[in-house]
Amino acid sequence: MSRYCVIGAGAAGISALEQLRRAGHEVDCFEKTGRVGGHWHTDYEALHLITARDMTHFEDFPMPKEYPHFPRRDQVRAYLESYAQANGHYGIIRFNTAVESVVPVPTNDAVGTAGWTVTLDTGERIDYDGVLVANGHLWDQKIPGFPGEFTGKQIHSGSYTNVKDIEGTRVLVVGAGNSGCDLAVDVAQHRLEADIVIREGTYFQPKAYFGKPRQELDFLKQFAPDEVDLISRLLARVSIGEWSDYPGMPEPKHRTLAEGSTVVNTLLPYWIQHGRVRVVPGIERFEGNTVHFTNGTAKEYDTILWATGFHASLPFIEESLIQRRQGIPLRYAGGIVPAGLEKLYLIGMSAPRGPQIPVYGVQTKVALKMIALHEASGPGGAGIEAYLSALQQADDRIDIVRAIWEDQIADTHRLLDAYPEARRHQERITAA
């Protein structure tokens, strides 16, 4: 019987584990901590879902109706734990067990064709027919470097819990994505003064329109993605205004939401207009507690909160095996198949805009289709990566417009459905 490995027991890992089990596969799952839920145990306390409760759930396992429209961190964590409990995952996952290396079984064929050897921190070495990597992309903190040294306190968003972590009252938030805006709002709502670095203009979107979560507006479903983009911008212009209405806010360079960055947050603009948050330009250098900005101004701060993202790290895989662009692994099939590697599947490396939890099941079902083709092709496998790489463009995006990602998934299904005939055609050509 074939045997598969899932690395990680966060939302992506338990989704992959359940889909593999439903398909009848023998599965091992390793989690380096003692709990299910991944980063939902360690995120900042002010975190809430930015997508609607009733759109953000596992297949056939909705969130409790008593949850609010936008559940807070501890509610999402409890939901993930309840899913694992309901499906018997706690008896399968090996907790407090870290994967130290994932090495391709030696072969003269493409890397990974013969499977992978997983080495655990216990010293165990186990061979698997395939590995589903769900270790997450929100844990290896990224902090950019600048000339000089800042002598105040510095905290990355991945380590920030609440304002008790802050020293002093003068706070600089660096990074204006969803997390950076959340942190600036958290500071402002606790009556501290926050400045936020916004180097490039971004579009702000409300979580709800007409009292309903934006993902649940039925009238939008009749429009094409580009039309929804336009309607969303027009609705936001009515409810929030434009960049020029907020002091220091730079103008977005892109015309549409799809082309540029989008933040789902209305509280940051609110606190900017109330003077609790001030927009500042990019950082030029540090000098003690003083931060010098690119427009020639300078200001002293007690604490810097870095909301500057994370590295997309696969620490247990030899880096020479990973093809990267701009630091991100190159992948095919909606972000699932890493370039140059067979029988290795990245679940959750792509984060299409919108509800995330359903994405993991979709990706695992695609991986299961590939697994079936590999198993039907015998020991040499099906050469899925080679097949896809000849027909798709490698992608390095983690943040990706959902309509584009859905097109990638649909194209992958089409190619996988056509694979048997494509292989027979190639065999006929070779025989001739």
Side-chain angles (χ1 to χ4, degrees):
M1 179 185 291
S2 58
R3 191 178 188 188
Y4 295 89
C5 171
V6 173
I7 301 175
I14 58 177
S15 183
L17 174 60
E18 182 59 22
Q19 293 296 333
L20 284 163
R21 292 179 67 219
R22 289 184 185 183
H25 293 291
E26 184 178 348
V27 193
D28 293 333
C29 179
F30 303 105
E31 167 56 46
K32 67 180 180 180
T33 73
R35 61 204 180 203
V36 162
H39 65 85
W40 289 97
H41 286 271
T42 56
D43 287 317
Y44 48 89
E45 291 178 351
L47 179 65
H48 288 71
L49 279 181
I50 62 172
T51 54
R53 172 200 65 202
D54 293 339
M55 303 292 287
T56 311
H57 59 80
F58 296 110
E59 184 179 30
D60 302 323
F61 199 86
M63 286 192 178
K65 285 296 182 183
E66 61 266 26
Y67 277 16
H69 280 310
F70 302 101
R72 60 183 184 265
R73 184 193 77 166
D74 60 301
Q75 291 173 318
V76 177
R77 181 182 65 221
Y79 168 74
L80 298 178
E81 292 171 337
S82 70
Y83 179 79
Q85 188 69 47
N87 289 292
H89 292 175
Y90 280 90
I92 299 169
I93 300 165
R94 287 184 58 178
F95 292 102
N96 300 306
T97 304
V99 171
E100 294 205 332
S101 69
V102 178
V103 178
V105 174
T107 177
N108 292 325
D109 296 319
V111 176
T113 298
W116 296 81
T117 300
V118 173
T119 300
L120 308 176
D121 60 358
T122 61
E124 296 169 82
R125 298 175 72 250
I126 309 170
D127 289 342
Y128 292 99
D129 296 281
V131 177
L132 286 79
V133 178
N135 69 317
H137 59 83
L138 300 174
W139 59 271
D140 189 0
Q141 301 174 7
K142 183 193 306 182
I143 296 180
F146 295 97
E149 179 183 0
F150 181 74
T151 54
K153 187 170 184 178
Q154 302 182 58
I155 315 168
H156 190 277
S157 62
S159 298
Y160 176 79
T161 302
N162 54 44
V163 293
K164 293 179 182 178
D165 295 331
I166 292 171
E167 291 183 358
T169 60
R170 302 170 299 179
V171 182
L172 177 65
V173 179
V174 185
N178 287 304
S179 293
C181 292
D182 277 352
L183 267 57
V185 167
D186 198 33
V187 172
Q189 290 183 156
H190 285 83
R191 296 176 298 282
L192 302 174
E193 303 293 335
D195 289 355
I196 184 169
V197 172
I198 302 182
R199 295 183 303 160
E200 296 183 359
T202 188
Y203 287 103
F204 287 83
Q205 289 281 293
K207 287 185 176 182
Y209 285 116
F210 316 113
K212 292 187 177 181
R214 54 204 297 270
Q215 288 91 16
E216 296 181 4
L217 293 177
D218 290 334
F219 83 89
L220 287 177
K221 297 175 183 177
Q222 63 185 301
F223 297 102
D226 59 334
E227 294 172 325
V228 173
D229 192 302
L230 173 60
I231 293 169
S232 297
R233 282 182 282 121
L234 292 175
L235 286 172
R237 184 179 297 178
V238 171
S239 60
I240 300 175
E242 298 188 271
W243 63 275
S244 56
D245 298 316
Y246 299 92
M249 191 82 73
E251 180 180 6
K253 295 180 180 179
H254 300 94
R255 187 180 63 84
T256 68
L257 305 181
E259 294 172 321
S261 61
T262 303
V263 173
V264 183
N265 188 304
T266 54
L267 290 175
L268 183 78
Y270 173 91
W271 285 113
I272 289 173
Q273 289 193 330
H274 285 73
R276 286 287 185 185
V277 178
R278 185 174 73 103
V279 178
V280 294
I283 296 171
E284 182 180 84
R285 61 187 173 90
F286 296 133
E287 186 178 6
N289 277 74
T290 301
V291 179
H292 295 263
F293 297 104
T294 53
N295 65 351
T297 62
K299 188 175 178 180
E300 289 190 349
Y301 296 96
D302 303 303
T303 298
I304 292 180
L305 300 180
W306 296 99
T308 44
F310 301 83
H311 299 287
S313 297
L314 302 166
F316 33 73
I317 300 175
E318 177 61 45
E319 191 59 34
S320 63
L321 296 178
I322 306 297
Q323 298 180 36
R324 294 180 182 268
R325 184 167 62 211
Q326 299 180 356
I328 310 297
L330 290 171
R331 292 149 289 137
Y332 302 100
I336 302 166
V337 178
L341 303 178
E342 298 283 358
K343 299 185 177 181
L344 191 77
Y345 312 94
L346 304 181
I347 308 300
M349 182 65 78
S350 288
R353 295 177 185 178
Q356 291 298 294
I357 290 176
V359 166
Y360 312 136
V362 170
Q363 290 183 322
T364 305
K365 287 182 177 180
V366 174
L368 283 167
K369 219 168 187 178
M370 299 176 190
I371 286 170
L373 291 172
H374 279 305
E375 292 187 347
S377 299
I384 295 297
E385 189 280 338
Y387 172 64
L388 293 176
S389 65
L391 298 166
Q392 293 183 334
Q393 293 291 319
D395 201 332
D396 65 347
R397 286 172 289 189
I398 292 179
D399 173 36
I400 183 171
V401 174
R402 201 174 193 89
I404 295 174
W405 176 78
E406 288 174 345
D407 285 345
Q408 292 177 344
I409 292 294
D411 182 64
T412 301
H413 277 297
R414 178 183 64 82
L415 292 175
L416 295 177
D417 289 341
Y419 174 84
E421 179 56 35
R423 181 160 183 166
R424 285 192 292 270
H425 178 70
Q426 185 60 44
E427 287 173 349
R428 287 194 294 267
I429 292 175
T430 302

